[in-house]
Every structure is written in structure tokens, then in C-alpha cells.
Amino acid sequence: MADNKRPFDVLDGAKEGNVLVKLKAYGRDQEPTVSGELQAFDKHLNIWLENASVKTEDGQTDYGKLFVRGDNVLFVSPE
């Protein structure tokens, strides 16, 4: 069963590639979405992104580098 991978194996394979991160809403109508190039992550799902952008109900904000604290993450997916 070589195709079975652990979740962190999937994220490790997505390094230097684009990922989509959905964040907790915290009083908003919709959860913010972050996308960018995955540089690093840890077991707490703290995530370091390059060329990141955050999309909210108010629009999109672009960032060069962005650190996302794992407590705020609902899910992460390779794009």
C-alpha cells in the first residue's frame, strides 16, 4: 500500500507549491481563505507562506510573506 500517505506527508510533498488554507471565521459571515507558496509547517499546523493573499468577504489583500498560526486553521489543501 505505497499510495497510503499520512496527512503531513501530503503537506511535505506540497512544499514550494501553492496551498489553500481556510481559516476560522471569528465573527465573520464567511471564513477567510489564504493562498500562497508553502515554505514550512510544524506539527501544530503553523504555516509559513510566500506570495500569500488573503480573501475575505471584503476583498483580497496580497502579502509577500505570511505566517498563519495553526490554532486558526480549519483545513489546508495543495492547489
Side-chain angles (χ1 to χ4, degrees):
M1 299 234 148
D3 290 347
N4 289 341
K5 292 184 178 182
R6 298 175 302 177
F8 285 126
D9 293 338
V10 173
L11 278 183
D12 199 46
K15 280 185 182 172
E16 303 295 324
N18 288 328
V19 294
L20 183 67
V21 182
K22 188 71 118 177
L23 303 177
K24 293 178 184 176
Y26 291 113
R28 296 176 177 252
D29 291 335
Q30 293 180 319
E31 294 92 359
T33 304
V34 179
S35 60
E37 296 171 17
L38 179 63
Q39 300 301 306
F41 65 93
D42 65 13
K43 67 180 181 178
H44 304 289
L45 222 49
N46 295 315
I47 299 170
W48 180 258
L49 300 171
E50 296 271 346
N51 302 315
S53 63
V54 178
K55 294 178 187 169
T56 64
E57 59 220 19
D58 301 328
Q60 178 175 319
T61 305
D62 296 325
Y63 297 92
K65 298 177 183 180
L66 187 67
F67 176 82
V68 179
R69 185 174 171 174
D71 290 348
N72 299 311
V73 174
L74 290 176
F75 71 80
V76 181
S77 174
E79 286 189 308

